[in-house]
Amino acid sequence: MTARYDFAFAIGGAAGQGIATPGNILARIFVRRGLHLNAYNAYQSIIRGGHILLTVRVGEEPVLTHGDKIDLLVCLNQDTMTRHARHLAAGGHVIFNSDDVKPAEVAAGVEICGLPVKELTNDNRNKLVQNTVALGAMLNLMGAEFGVLEEALAQQFKNKGKEVIDENVGMARAGYEYAKAHFKPFHQALPKGKKPLAVWTGNEALAMGGAAAGVKFYCAYPMSPSTGVLHWMAKNARELGIMVRQIEDEVGVANVAIGAAHTGARSMCATSGGGFALMTEALGAASMMEVPVVFINVQRAGPSTGVPTKTEQGDLWQALGASQGDFERIIVAPKDALDAFKTLAELFNLVDHYQCPGILLSDLLISEGTFSVDPDEVDMHPKIDRGALILEGGGGGEYLRYLDTESGISPRAVPGVPGHVHVIATDEHDEEGILVSDEFTNPHKRRQMVEKRARKLNDFLKKVAAPKIEGPADADVTLVGWGSTAGVLKESVALLAERGVKANHLSVKWIKPLHADDIARALSKAKKVLVVENNHSGQFYRYLRSETGLSVAGHIRKYDGEPLQPHHMVNGVLDHLGAKKDVADGVYVPYQEVLV
Amino acid sequence: MATTTMVELKPKDFKGKVDPDWCPGCGDFGLLNAVQKALAELGKKPHDVVCVSGIGCSSNFPGYLNAYGMHTLHGRALAVATGVKLANHDLTVLVTGGDGDGYGIGGNHFTHTARRNVDLTYLVMNNQIYGLTTGQVSPSSDIGMKTKSTPFGNIERPVHPTAAAIINGATFAARGFSGHGKHLVEIIKQAIEHKGFSHVDVFSPCVTFNHDNTYDFFRERVKQLEETGHDPSDWKSAVEKALMWGETIYTGVFYRNDEVPALHELEPILDEGGPVAHREPGLTKEQAQRVLKRMM
């Protein structure tokens, strides 16, 4: 019985060496072949220079993380060879341009595959040709037919003309043939999947999710790692009829989005932690005025400017606490790219229904990762429910925008609708919208409005699914996480089982309102609970504790900017269950071996 | 959609649910009356008008006007109003606020809304003081002015709102004075009818906290440009006159340019299909298929 196909290659070099293109070409080849992939790009906040390592892991089933190993390392510069060649295990291959790069010491059983690029390209001076030659060699070592690469190169360079395509195909073939003649391929050839798949990044999934959910207005200020949402929206705006605008700062972004949302368009904006900080005041304003808007925060390593190209789950408390006073907000942290896509449809229906702002917490790991997806699972026509929205005039009587109803939700008319003229305000106001904050304050009306707004979300927890423990009910250890750690939690549960440790996991997605009772109930049956998150202070644990009173056995926290890999989790759990050699104050912090 | 006005509305039809809480004699009354007159004379309907404000005495304006209103955040009215206009470009959008709200905290949005030429009318009640917070210096206060935050005299020079508007791309820049109601009505009508960003700086004396720039101060100095033969297409002359702040302070239309398309006129998705807010949300089957195909 052949082992499950689990293969990962990594391409490394400096920014500007063209790492993304071969990565994209291979990703397309894989999904067209029906294979799943999960890619993590470790890069730096620099346009030229520095070090980038793109890791792409391929499999026949959905790939949950970028894994623990590199089977094929492509070194576009010496730095990559120096940093990473030693991490490969027996059976692995290292490809490099032997004209420029010298091989480093590798473990026994690792094949060194130097490519004489000058010779193979007739001394082509273009600095990118080594990438094309390497691509050919990679395909050969992976056991794929050259034809798929020829097809992919034709598509990649289709706008550059036949000559460019032929030149690239020629160089790729030279690499392919050279590898065939000189190196041993991997013992498992690249399999074929069942049906063609699609590929996207998390940011594209967010943008598409918004578009499918009926977003008609998108505005943003460029900020890593959220800018991909703006790029997709801007590129597709005209075709899809979405208004897209880049605004002068994030304060402006949030307020422009509010204006568009109040006027009746589903509106969304995405930023990162620092930009979200600037949107703080507007968040409370939206809630006070009862205007539905979706704010996306793609978290990155903070605080302050932090590490712009690294991931973290550090903004939970910012999302919970942003803006002054008590007010209604919905916070959700999707688990992966497809979940992010689906969540937007659900979130927009919720914010429209409850007439309050919604915050979607993504992070760099999801947003800038590249993932395969089954197109049949991408529902581009989700149900769109605008809630109690009045788009047409008519109906007699006086219209009260902030009518105090049993549910707390007041039918919402938009500007332009006859017979429903009203003023909305960030000041406290009565049912008519008249201020009770200046000339005449009124404690009874004030109390009434506070309670009306707060009442709106009373039935929220019934409307969204509570998190469920996944895995054996009688597990010895329960891993609890939120947002993007869902993938590594699921994968490590399977790996732990192979090591004889029975584990299960609870991945929480709906953050506020929180299914506190369901979570407390589920965890009360757990033998040993470990909370897993990508931040230093244990933000989710503290939130869980404040909402449920639960204390837990221990924690696994990684906050060096790099994501948790499955072996980090396995080692952490085993240590917690065993000698606790690296557990300090209940916290195990995995060590990052791959230096990027 | 525009329909024939069957019933002519009067200024009182634009009176809001409550009376202003401004101090008796406040300059803002002058602008409120002028706006109500202007809207009636232009044949506007209350439900087709959106008045957006920030925070401050003058930002209470929307509550006093019978029209859709948004009383939002200090300095952010222009941003909110931009979103309103882009979501439904059929609406008549007014932005009302003060000099602190508009030229201080709101300064950045002022610059960008002007250069974008968003089709809205920005009416600033400029009283050269922060009134609601009881009398601090404002970005338009004269140098030397004594206020609660500058008890020994302001050591900073003021902004030049009208000149700044023109330099930043406003396609209609004017000034008014609360004490010259008829003139103000005419300016506001022109500003609203102008398709593009219209800025009207209105001298609106604060009778409680600004004892320097009073009604008398302005009556002695204000001269209407219409009486001088000024050519509003001449931006250099407009800027020159806008910078004058001595024995003569000009009001009237400084600059107008009707050749520059408004932002929404440059947005291709608005070429057909009506306002974005009225369109069917979601994607068609063809659009969805094209998007998915590009991912494969």
Side-chain angles (χ1 to χ4, degrees):
Chain A
M1 192 178 88
T2 45
R4 207 175 101 255
Y5 185 77
D6 180 9
F7 180 87
F9 69 81
I11 306 176
Q17 283 200 280
I19 289 144
T21 301
N24 288 336
I25 290 173
L26 286 164
R28 295 277 164 158
I29 288 173
F30 295 148
V31 296
R32 286 198 187 121
R33 209 177 171 86
L35 295 174
H36 285 276
L37 66 92
N38 184 314
Y40 170 63
N41 193 29
Y43 69 108
Q44 297 170 347
S45 190
I46 192 169
I47 305 300
R48 291 283 180 270
H51 175 63
I52 299 180
L53 187 75
L54 171 66
T55 305
V56 182
R57 187 180 178 202
V58 194
E60 292 171 285
E61 301 299 325
V63 183
L64 297 168
T65 70
H66 68 285
D68 288 322
K69 63 180 169 77
I70 296 171
D71 298 298
L72 169 56
L73 176 68
V74 179
C75 306
L76 297 181
N77 64 3
Q78 188 70 53
D79 184 38
T80 303
M81 175 73 78
T82 309
R83 285 172 188 256
H84 304 300
R86 70 194 129 134
H87 293 303
L88 272 65
H93 293 64
V94 180
I95 289 178
F96 58 100
N97 181 352
S98 52
D99 300 329
D100 294 335
V101 176
K102 303 227 174 328
E105 262 205 53
V106 294
V110 173
E111 186 159 7
I112 301 286
C113 308
L115 302 171
V117 173
K118 272 206 208 76
E119 181 192 313
L120 294 173
T121 63
N122 291 323
D123 213 7
N124 192 320
R125 293 301 165 91
N126 184 323
K127 291 220 187 299
L128 297 178
V129 299
Q130 63 170 357
N131 301 12
T132 313
V133 174
L135 256 182
M138 288 170 80
L139 255 291
N140 173 266
L141 294 176
M142 287 193 278
E145 335 71 70
F146 184 74
V148 300
L149 182 53
E150 186 167 0
E151 198 190 318
L153 286 170
Q155 224 228 343
Q156 180 75 27
F157 297 112
K158 70 174 184 280
N159 293 331
K160 301 238 171 116
K162 192 175 181 300
E163 223 180 280
V164 172
I165 295 174
D166 287 346
E167 192 186 14
N168 277 278
V169 170
M171 292 190 288
R173 195 191 300 276
Y176 189 94
E177 296 300 329
Y178 189 86
K180 190 168 173 188
H182 293 86
F183 312 125
K184 239 180 59 163
F186 285 98
H187 70 282
Q188 259 184 306
L190 194 67
K192 279 205 174 78
K194 300 189 192 73
K195 62 168 188 162
L197 300 172
V199 63
W200 61 3
T201 63
N203 275 340
E204 289 168 346
L206 284 168
M208 279 176 59
V215 166
K216 282 275 175 252
F217 192 94
Y218 183 80
C219 57
Y221 186 87
M223 184 168 187
S224 302
S226 73
T227 322
V229 184
L230 173 61
H231 291 166
W232 191 95
M233 280 290 185
K235 228 181 2 197
N236 290 278
R238 293 182 185 190
E239 186 182 338
L240 304 181
I242 299 173
M243 174 79 67
V244 177
R245 298 241 58 84
Q246 181 178 317
I247 306 296
E248 57 270 17
D249 56 40
E250 286 89 343
V251 184
V253 167
N255 283 285
V256 171
I258 286 173
H262 172 63
T263 307
R266 274 199 166 173
S267 306
M268 180 168 109
C269 56
T271 183
S272 189
F276 187 80
L278 294 174
M279 298 181 177
T280 290
E281 190 190 30
L283 181 74
S287 200
M288 179 55 130
M289 295 191 286
E290 302 197 49
V291 175
V293 189
V294 169
F295 299 93
I296 298 173
N297 177 359
V298 182
Q299 302 166 92
R300 75 191 206 189
S304 196
T305 309
V307 196
T309 63
K310 297 301 173 188
T311 199
E312 188 165 277
Q313 293 183 302
D315 297 349
L316 178 65
W317 278 96
Q318 179 188 75
L320 288 167
S323 214
Q324 67 274 31
D326 279 330
F327 61 90
E328 304 59 50
R329 71 190 87 190
I330 298 170
I331 304 173
V332 63
K335 302 178 184 184
D336 53 49
L338 180 58
D339 192 32
F341 171 87
K342 291 179 180 166
T343 297
L344 275 165
E346 196 178 354
L347 182 61
F348 264 107
N349 287 345
L350 289 165
V351 301
D352 263 357
H353 175 73
Y354 291 113
Q355 298 173 21
C356 71
I359 301 167
L360 187 150
L361 290 173
S362 178
D363 57 22
L364 189 145
L365 182 62
I366 291 179
S367 273
E368 296 209 320
T370 302
F371 313 99
S372 54
V373 64
D374 182 349
D376 292 335
E377 288 198 63
V378 182
D379 181 5
M380 297 289 276
H381 308 286
K383 177 159 176 281
I384 292 177
D385 185 351
R386 301 300 312 269
L389 187 61
I390 299 171
L391 294 172
E392 271 161 17
E398 201 192 358
Y399 170 68
L400 300 176
R401 168 65 187 96
Y402 298 112
L403 182 69
D404 188 5
T405 63
E406 196 184 317
S407 67
I409 297 170
S410 322
R412 174 169 89 100
V414 300
V417 176
H420 292 77
V421 164
H422 65 275
V423 178
I424 67 171
T426 56
D427 275 88
E428 185 59 276
H429 43 266
D430 63 15
E431 290 181 278
E432 278 185 277
I434 291 169
L435 303 196
V436 293
S437 63
D438 53 5
E439 184 171 9
F440 295 113
T441 57
N442 184 319
H444 295 167
K445 282 191 178 176
R446 160 64 174 175
R447 175 176 170 178
Q448 177 192 17
M449 295 312 289
V450 168
E451 290 173 353
K452 168 219 176 301
R453 288 189 297 264
R455 197 157 65 236
K456 286 194 293 187
L457 290 175
N458 279 355
D459 65 351
F460 178 90
L461 292 177
K462 291 199 213 64
K463 276 184 152 33
V464 296
K468 282 194 170 53
I469 291 196
E470 292 177 53
D474 59 340
D476 293 312
V477 62
T478 297
L479 306 171
V480 176
W482 64 287
S484 68
T485 53
V488 76
L489 255 54
K490 191 164 178 197
E491 182 160 359
S492 52
V493 161
L495 290 173
L496 285 163
E498 287 173 20
R499 303 279 283 262
V501 175
K502 217 183 244 183
N504 57 24
H505 76 100
L506 179 73
S507 286
V508 179
K509 167 180 161 175
W510 293 99
I511 305 288
K512 189 168 173 68
L514 182 73
H515 292 94
D517 290 343
D518 294 277
I519 292 172
R521 227 189 337 261
L523 293 181
S524 66
K525 307 191 193 99
K527 292 202 186 106
K528 199 180 190 84
V529 176
L530 296 176
V531 180
V532 181
E533 49 188 319
N534 285 124
N535 58 67
H536 175 257
S537 66
Q539 294 194 15
F540 185 71
Y541 165 64
R542 289 186 288 121
Y543 177 52
L544 203 59
R545 189 176 156 103
S546 78
E547 297 295 303
T548 64
L550 279 175
S551 51
V552 302
H555 312 265
I556 296 174
R557 294 179 193 161
K558 196 162 190 286
Y559 41 85
D560 51 26
E562 297 303 318
L564 283 157
Q565 288 167 267
H567 75 278
H568 292 143
M569 285 297 308
V570 171
N571 293 343
V573 172
L574 293 177
D575 200 27
H576 267 294
L577 295 177
K580 292 200 181 39
K581 201 166 63 64
D582 292 308
V583 175
D585 289 324
V587 183
Y588 176 94
V589 182
Y591 175 75
Q592 177 70 24
E593 305 88 348
V594 178
L595 267 185
V596 282
Chain B
M1 292 301 295
T3 53
T4 321
T5 317
M6 299 304 291
V7 175
E8 287 234 326
L9 292 177
K10 302 259 180 313
K12 65 173 168 60
D13 294 313
F14 286 93
K15 188 172 161 352
K17 288 188 174 142
V18 292
D19 287 327
D21 59 1
W22 298 321
C23 304
C26 172
D28 296 352
F29 282 104
L31 183 71
L32 179 62
N33 292 337
V35 167
Q36 289 164 336
K37 275 205 188 78
L39 290 173
E41 287 176 24
L42 287 175
K44 295 289 179 188
K45 297 208 201 60
H47 63 262
D48 288 329
V49 177
V50 182
C51 182
V52 186
S53 71
I55 300 292
C57 285
S58 55
S59 280
N60 286 342
F61 197 101
Y64 312 140
L65 185 71
N66 181 29
Y68 276 98
M70 300 179 75
H71 188 172
T72 69
L73 293 170
H74 198 38
R76 311 300 166 195
L78 283 174
V80 179
T82 297
V84 172
K85 185 70 188 185
L86 289 176
N88 185 344
H89 58 285
D90 285 343
L91 295 167
T92 298
V93 180
L94 307 178
V95 179
T96 55
D99 44 296
D101 182 87
Y103 306 142
I105 182 170
N108 196 27
H109 303 309
F110 181 37
T111 298
H112 293 278
T113 313
R115 73 169 175 88
R116 289 191 184 110
N117 203 27
V118 182
D119 179 23
L120 57 81
T121 304
Y122 186 29
L123 305 166
V124 182
M125 285 153 271
N126 186 357
N127 59 10
Q128 299 166 271
I129 195 90
Y130 277 70
L132 193 53
T133 43
T134 74
Q136 296 77 30
V137 73
S138 112
S140 57
S141 301
D142 289 329
I143 191 166
M145 185 179 184
K146 291 204 172 99
T147 70
K148 282 189 186 155
S149 62
T150 58
F152 307 109
N154 178 24
I155 62 173
E156 297 174 11
R157 295 170 300 160
V159 292
H160 298 292
T162 303
I166 297 168
I167 298 296
N168 283 317
T171 51
F172 182 100
R175 271 198 204 134
F177 169 39
S178 269
H180 290 167
K182 276 207 196 71
H183 184 233
L184 196 50
V185 174
E186 285 316 305
I187 290 173
I188 292 169
K189 281 164 70 176
Q190 284 182 56
I192 291 176
E193 292 204 294
H194 171 72
K195 217 182 218 163
F197 182 73
S198 304
H199 174 241
V200 185
D201 193 41
V202 182
F203 299 134
S204 187
C206 172
V207 295
T208 306
F209 294 114
N210 187 340
H211 306 294
D212 298 353
N213 313 105
T214 60
Y215 281 97
D216 285 340
F217 170 90
F218 286 109
R219 281 204 187 91
E220 281 162 29
R221 292 162 173 77
V222 160
K223 204 189 185 99
Q224 295 174 6
L225 280 172
E226 290 75 7
E227 293 164 15
T228 68
H230 168 72
D231 172 14
S233 68
D234 183 351
W235 72 266
K236 282 191 192 141
S237 169
V239 170
E240 231 174 14
K241 295 196 172 91
L243 292 173
M244 287 169 65
W245 191 268
E247 297 205 348
T248 303
I249 296 176
Y250 285 110
T251 59
V253 179
F254 284 75
Y255 178 70
R256 83 176 292 155
N257 182 344
D258 295 313
E259 306 306 310
V260 183
L263 182 65
H264 72 272
E265 293 178 302
L266 291 172
E267 176 51 75
I269 72 161
L270 295 180
D271 285 347
E272 49 184 52
V276 144
H278 293 167
R279 298 186 191 178
E280 192 69 36
L283 305 176
T284 65
K285 286 215 161 13
E286 295 74 38
Q287 288 170 332
Q289 270 163 16
R290 279 198 300 267
V291 168
L292 281 175
K293 193 155 165 281
R294 287 197 282 266
M295 290 162 62
M296 301 181 70

